[in-house]
Amino acid sequence: MQRTEALINLVEVIAIRKLVKDYGNLRAVDGIDLSIQKGEVYAFLGPNGAGKTTTVEILEGLRPRTSGEVEVLGLDPWKDNKKLIRQLGVIPQDFKFFDKITPKEAVAFYAGLFGKRADADAILKKVRLEDKASDRYETLSGGQKQKMGLALALVNEPAVLFLDEPTTGLDPQARRSIWEVIRSLRSEGRTVFLTTHYLEEAQLLADRVAIINHGKIVATGSPEDIIREHGRSEVLSLQAPPKLADYLRSKLDLPVRAEDHTVDVELNSNEDVLRVLTLVQQSGIPWTGVSTRQDTLEDVFIRLVGKTTESGDVGPTALGGSK
Amino acid sequence: MSPRRVYLNLGVFAKGYLRSRVGLFFALVFPVILILLFGAIFSNSSTTSVDVYVQNLDHNSPLSLQFLEALNSTKVVHLHFVSPSVGNLSKWLAANDQSDGLVIPAGFAAGYFNKTPVNLTVITNPQDATTSGIVYGAVDGVANYFNLQRANGTVILNVQQLSPPTLGGQSFQYIDYLVPGLIGFSVLTSPMFSMVNISSEYKKEKLFRQLSLTPLTKSEWLSSTIIWYIILTLVSTVIMVAVGQGAFGAKVTLSPLMLPFLVLGPILFTSLGLLAGSISKDPETAAVIGNIITFPMMFLSGTFFPVSLFPPWLVTVAHVLPLFYVIDGLNAAMLYGNVGTALFDMAVVGILALILFIASVRVFQWREN
Ligand SMILES: Nc1ncnc2c1ncn2[C@@H]1O[C@H](COP(=O)(O)OP(=O)(O)OP(=O)(O)O)[C@@H](O)[C@H]1O
Ligand SMILES: [Mg+2]
């Protein structure tokens, strides 16, 4: 329903057409097209080195592009940088700040630079950093630094936020508090462009998702659309000997697979569940467990990208992947 | 350029600087240590004895020989005798490439016994503050002793020092040159070393990127940084002058003519440091480039020793170093009160500062290309 609402008053906030970025001989971004509407949370997914940060930094005006067209809020990010920056909130990948400055001082500094009256305590509370408000940046933990980055991105009440892996390296609680902030930004009508390696995060937060691989977009749409389009159909899984598979194949027109002690039946509709279970009952073959399984965004992602995001990232995604 | 943003950034920069303390040590404490150290070493006359050429016009009277023997026994001077027939001793010294001399006048002994004042003339090289101080001090000391013997300290033997008119009849000691020299030293080193480091470190740590995501501009950032180094320079100048005067009686004065150098100098060297850091790929290269620029300037611009003591070819080298004009100008302002020289030096420093400010703002990049 949210989505249809958004469709009614489409305002294109970010427009990317045929964007190309070369680093010497390396084509990091290879002709991508994207259109992001006002009020969307848009997740940008892709394996390491896919070109996410490069794209985001071009949108933020931090890098010039090789060719193509880019507009953010109707401005050219590279040329109109100083004008655009007033309406942007940014957490760069690996956010860094001055060692000796505290989060509270940093927020006040940013507020002054942007000419905003900001309540530093309220902002730090929002990102759950109030306990460390007066500690120097150099003494903060990685996750706390990341939260400070988010606090700074909020100071100027931006219309568009670019969050490059805002939750990487955070504990589950901290990650949830950042999700909370992203949801509240969305409810305030702000546009959020988010890159992440956590597919669970994209599935939970994003209105729409784009998957980028080797500088090319390989899928776009809502997580449900992508799963529907690229995912396999729902599967009924039984813990049973392979002879059950043979029995089912002889009675059913559905694809059946047997592996180890598991028999998988691909389902076309909900009625198929009852048909399969009735046949199982009739076969008289003993079985120990039954479940249904649907592809997650992660399953689709892995299929599209052809590998896991990166061995180090499997932990958290695997966590999110188990439903 | 928004003064408000310059001010805000100045606040954050100053906090970082003050909290790290290393910079503060090098900006404020280190120059004072140098003044105390060099002042102590060179104001002691423990250096090797100085050749002094004596012209005795008192016909080798016993008293004059007694006086010279007393002078010889101080061991800080080594006496040579010049015949009265050569005429004017100053001219003779110049002709013979010597600098220090003493004239015992005719009627020296008679005047001493009759308690009528007698003038002893000491000739020294005014550009060599150290030796001239030693010679004058030795002759004056012996004369005082003789005065004490004969007349309970009433001045009979009066020591005059011959000095060129450009110095307004004043003579300067090593410490007098050391104070402006070391002010120049700190004008150079405190912005240079930290800017070279900061600019390459900020680039590596993506802190410029972070600042570029705010309305702050490059020139606002650089301006606030420069203002910080001007403040540091002014504070450190006042401290150094106070220490020089207090500990060694340096004859330096705080003059408004110094101010342009204390403002333009930091502009010049902050910009130069930023430029050096910006053209370097990484902090290590930046440190090397920074040292290559800084070290020759640190020693050859008149910081520790007046340039006038250098051999001619080194004087030529000094004249191409920007810091030379800062120190030369500070000498003109603090010692000689020479407005003409100060204005010329000011113009040189001002033009260089302007060029380097513009160049560094252009060369240094907030964003990656
Ligand atoms: N400054 C640079 N110079 C040269 N090559 C670069 C530069 N920045 C990125 N690249 C290259 O461009 C490609 C895309 O990098 P990018 O940082 O955009 O990837 P990413 O999708 O953000 O990856 P990650 O998930 O690891 O953050 C990589 O192959 C990378 O090596
Ligand atoms: Mg990245």
Side-chain angles (χ1 to χ4, degrees):
Chain A
M1 285 156 291
Q2 289 279 26
R3 212 156 291 117
T4 32
E5 243 172 51
L7 282 169
I8 294 166
N9 43 31
L10 279 186
V11 181
E12 194 179 43
V13 169
I14 302 172
I16 305 176
R17 270 177 287 280
K18 296 194 172 62
L19 176 65
V20 171
K21 174 69 186 181
D22 292 336
Y23 294 113
N25 289 329
L26 176 84
R27 180 147 292 187
V29 176
D30 192 1
I32 69 173
D33 296 275
L34 288 178
S35 169
I36 290 141
Q37 314 307 322
K38 181 174 184 306
E40 272 192 303
V41 174
Y42 200 96
F44 205 37
L45 305 174
N48 289 130
K52 300 182 296 296
T53 297
T54 302
T55 306
V56 172
E57 290 189 349
I58 289 169
L59 296 173
E60 294 159 355
L62 290 176
R63 278 181 197 285
R65 55 193 182 268
T66 304
S67 66
E69 269 156 58
V70 175
E71 269 188 8
V72 177
L73 296 165
L75 297 168
D76 180 325
W78 182 253
K79 291 204 196 92
D80 304 324
N81 172 256
K82 281 294 165 195
K83 199 166 162 197
L84 178 61
I85 226 70
R86 297 186 161 275
Q87 305 182 68
L88 297 188
V90 171
I91 309 184
Q93 187 166 8
D94 66 353
F95 163 78
K96 298 258 176 59
F97 207 71
F98 303 99
D99 279 347
K100 309 288 175 195
I101 302 301
T102 70
K104 197 167 175 173
E105 289 165 346
V107 170
F109 176 47
Y110 266 49
L113 291 179
F114 280 103
K116 294 272 180 185
R117 210 182 295 275
D119 181 348
D121 293 319
I123 289 176
L124 292 172
K125 195 160 187 166
K126 192 166 184 182
V127 301
R128 308 262 162 90
L129 197 58
E130 66 270 34
D131 292 349
K132 295 284 177 178
S134 302
D135 288 15
R136 293 179 186 175
Y137 172 79
E138 61 187 350
T139 68
L140 301 180
S141 77
Q144 289 160 351
K145 288 176 178 170
Q146 204 64 11
K147 289 180 182 177
M148 177 171 163
L150 182 59
L152 294 183
L154 301 178
V155 168
N156 60 326
E157 300 172 327
V160 180
L161 289 102
F162 291 101
L163 313 179
D164 197 351
E165 300 189 22
T167 61
T168 299
L170 297 193
D171 65 45
Q173 226 174 326
R175 183 171 308 141
R176 279 184 174 72
S177 67
I178 289 196
W179 291 350
E180 204 67 14
V181 174
I182 293 174
R183 288 205 186 93
S184 80
L185 290 169
R186 184 181 186 282
S187 69
E188 290 160 13
R190 306 185 203 279
T191 310
V192 178
F193 191 97
L194 168 79
T195 79
T196 179
H197 289 153
Y198 302 130
L199 293 130
E200 174 206 14
E201 185 168 293
Q203 201 160 1
L204 273 173
L205 293 175
D207 297 298
R208 287 198 297 153
V209 167
I211 299 177
I212 181 172
N213 192 22
H214 296 302
K216 288 197 163 82
I217 303 288
V218 292
T220 53
S222 70
E224 296 80 13
D225 290 343
I226 290 182
I227 292 167
R228 202 173 307 126
E229 192 177 330
H230 300 275
R232 289 170 305 202
S233 36
E234 195 162 8
V235 168
L236 183 80
S237 214
L238 291 135
Q239 311 302 130
K243 66 180 176 190
L244 179 64
D246 300 332
Y247 178 82
L248 290 176
R249 274 194 204 105
S250 68
K251 304 275 181 188
L252 275 172
D253 49 353
L254 299 171
V256 180
R257 284 185 309 271
E259 207 174 89
D260 300 333
H261 201 70
T262 306
V263 175
D264 285 349
V265 185
E266 279 189 28
L267 307 173
N268 285 334
S269 66
N270 286 344
E271 286 80 70
D272 289 345
V273 181
L274 290 173
R275 282 174 59 205
V276 175
L277 288 176
T278 313
L279 285 169
V280 171
Q281 190 66 24
Q282 285 169 3
S283 73
I285 299 168
W287 53 276
T288 50
V290 64
S291 61
T292 61
R293 180 161 50 85
Q294 190 165 25
D295 267 3
T296 59
L297 193 55
E298 180 171 349
D299 297 319
V300 175
F301 177 85
I302 289 170
R303 192 154 331 112
L304 286 172
V305 165
K307 55 182 177 186
T308 51
T309 49
E310 182 89 326
S311 48
D313 288 318
V314 167
T317 40
L319 244 179
S322 64
K323 10 3 22 239
Chain B
M1 184 86 81
S2 145
R4 189 173 49 88
R5 289 196 295 266
V6 171
Y7 170 76
L8 285 163
N9 188 57
L10 175 63
V12 166
F13 191 80
K15 275 189 194 117
Y17 195 96
L18 294 172
R19 287 173 188 174
S20 91
R21 301 219 173 84
V22 183
L24 211 56
F25 172 82
F26 279 103
L28 300 185
V29 182
F30 191 56
V32 170
I33 293 177
L34 288 180
I35 288 199
L36 293 175
L37 202 67
F38 279 79
I41 293 171
F42 289 100
S43 55
N44 280 340
S45 41
S46 57
T47 42
T48 51
S49 60
V50 181
D51 289 319
V52 175
Y53 292 81
V54 181
Q55 197 177 33
N56 191 344
L57 302 179
D58 201 34
H59 310 290
N60 290 334
S61 62
L63 185 77
S64 67
L65 295 179
Q66 237 178 323
F67 185 90
L68 291 171
E69 199 175 311
L71 188 59
N72 203 25
S73 68
T74 64
K75 298 253 183 351
V76 298
V77 291
H78 185 231
L79 302 180
H80 305 267
F81 294 93
V82 178
S83 157
S85 61
V86 302
N88 184 308
L89 184 63
S90 285
K91 285 186 181 142
W92 183 89
L93 287 170
N96 288 276
D97 240 9
Q98 295 299 333
S99 57
D100 303 291
L102 168 66
V103 180
I104 307 247
F108 172 80
Y112 182 74
F113 291 123
N114 298 335
K115 296 187 183 176
T116 52
V118 173
N119 283 337
L120 292 163
T121 306
V122 169
I123 304 163
T124 54
N125 178 359
Q127 300 196 315
D128 186 343
T130 317
T131 55
S132 62
I134 290 169
V135 175
Y136 179 83
V139 175
D140 198 42
V142 173
N144 281 337
Y145 173 77
F146 272 66
N147 289 337
L148 212 60
Q149 293 286 306
R150 177 71 192 130
N152 287 331
T154 312
V155 177
I156 307 169
L157 302 181
N158 179 36
V159 182
Q160 291 185 319
Q161 190 164 16
L162 271 192
S163 308
T166 48
L167 296 191
Q170 253 194 309
S171 80
F172 292 103
Q173 309 269 320
Y174 176 71
I175 184 71
D176 305 328
Y177 295 100
L178 187 65
V179 173
L182 287 182
I183 290 172
F185 173 87
S186 102
V187 164
L188 166 74
T189 53
S190 73
M192 264 302 270
F193 284 136
S194 45
M195 282 311 282
V196 165
N197 181 264
I198 283 173
S199 53
S200 53
E201 210 56 48
Y202 277 25
K203 190 162 64 176
K204 187 177 162 206
E205 292 297 313
K206 309 266 174 99
L207 289 167
F208 283 140
R209 174 186 74 179
Q210 193 59 35
L211 290 174
S212 82
L213 291 167
T214 73
L216 191 72
T217 65
K218 285 197 291 181
S219 38
E220 285 164 358
W221 181 82
L222 182 56
S223 303
S224 53
T225 316
I226 286 171
I227 291 172
W228 174 246
Y229 287 109
I230 291 173
I231 294 171
L232 273 185
T233 299
L234 293 175
V235 172
S236 120
T237 298
V238 171
I239 295 176
M240 282 192 267
V241 168
V243 170
Q245 289 175 340
F248 303 105
K251 289 193 278 294
V252 286
T253 43
L254 282 173
S255 130
L257 261 183
M258 294 164 69
L259 213 53
F261 296 98
L262 303 180
V263 170
L264 296 171
I267 295 179
L268 198 166
F269 294 114
T270 307
S271 305
L272 187 60
L274 179 61
L275 198 59
S278 304
I279 59 171
S280 318
K281 278 200 298 290
D282 50 61
E284 292 74 24
T285 319
V288 172
I289 295 180
N291 288 346
I292 289 175
I293 298 174
T294 312
F295 276 94
M297 228 182 318
M298 208 157 97
F299 293 108
L300 301 179
S301 305
T303 38
F304 298 103
F305 301 99
V307 170
S308 52
L309 294 185
F310 291 180
W313 68 273
L314 257 189
V315 173
T316 316
V317 172
H319 280 77
V320 301
L321 302 172
L323 184 61
F324 168 82
Y325 297 93
V326 174
I327 293 176
D328 195 55
L330 286 173
N331 279 330
M334 300 173 77
L335 302 180
Y336 312 137
N338 187 336
V339 179
T341 307
L343 286 177
F344 172 78
D345 291 333
M346 219 175 279
V348 174
V349 178
I351 290 167
L352 285 174
L354 184 70
I355 293 172
L356 283 167
F357 180 87
I358 292 171
S360 62
V361 170
R362 292 239 166 146
V363 169
F364 117 85
Q365 293 297 332
W366 276 135
R367 308 186 285 175
E368 286 183 50
N369 265 312

